[in-house]
Amino acid sequence: MKEWTKEEITENTRKIKQLALYFYTPLCGTCQVAGRMLDIVENLVPQFEFRKADLNYMPEMAEKYSIESVPCLIVFQEGICVEKIYAFQSVTHLYELLKQINKDD
């Protein structure tokens, strides 16, 4: 998963048809597990572009997207937030959520 800066988030969020943007902090153990899960899901759901961002360096993004905690996966369709996921229950759960969102498109 490619890491984005706040400038890249601002510039590209609206350009990508289906985007899964993962916010994390490096010292968060739960974030590390969630990141590994997303690495698998990224290969299973190629319709989405996956990117990540270290929330420590962009608190204004936490405010902009009303991020309550990390890990947080925000799913965008054509620049619009359609889902915000905090509970990374399993690879299967994430896969099913993204497949359902893709189906709704």
Side-chain angles (χ1 to χ4, degrees):
M1 215 177 330
K2 184 179 183 280
E3 183 109 15
W4 267 359
T5 63
K6 62 183 171 186
E7 292 79 18
E8 289 173 309
I9 292 169
T10 303
E11 182 180 321
N12 295 307
T13 301
R14 291 194 173 115
K15 291 180 183 177
I16 297 172
K17 184 175 176 171
Q18 294 191 114
L19 171 67
L21 183 55
Y22 172 57
F23 288 96
Y24 73 101
T25 58
L27 297 178
C28 165
T30 305
C31 294
Q32 292 174 14
V33 172
R36 287 193 292 274
M37 292 164 76
L38 287 171
D39 287 340
I40 296 167
V41 175
E42 181 177 14
N43 293 312
L44 298 173
V45 190
Q47 301 88 340
F48 282 87
E49 288 196 39
F50 286 77
R51 299 293 185 267
K52 65 182 179 177
D54 183 343
L55 206 54
N56 285 333
Y57 296 111
M58 49 189 81
E60 62 279 353
M61 289 294 153
E63 187 174 324
K64 178 178 180 176
Y65 295 118
S66 301
I67 297 172
E68 298 171 14
S69 65
V70 290
C72 178
L73 181 69
I74 301 179
V75 181
F76 295 91
Q77 286 189 307
E78 298 180 5
I80 298 168
C81 173
V82 295
E83 187 78 38
K84 200 179 296 182
I85 302 165
Y86 294 103
F88 291 65
Q89 299 171 10
S90 67
V91 169
T92 305
H93 174 73
L94 291 170
Y95 170 77
E96 293 296 332
L97 275 170
L98 292 174
K99 289 301 279 185
Q100 182 61 44
I101 291 168
N102 185 57
K103 188 175 116 184
D104 293 343
D105 187 26

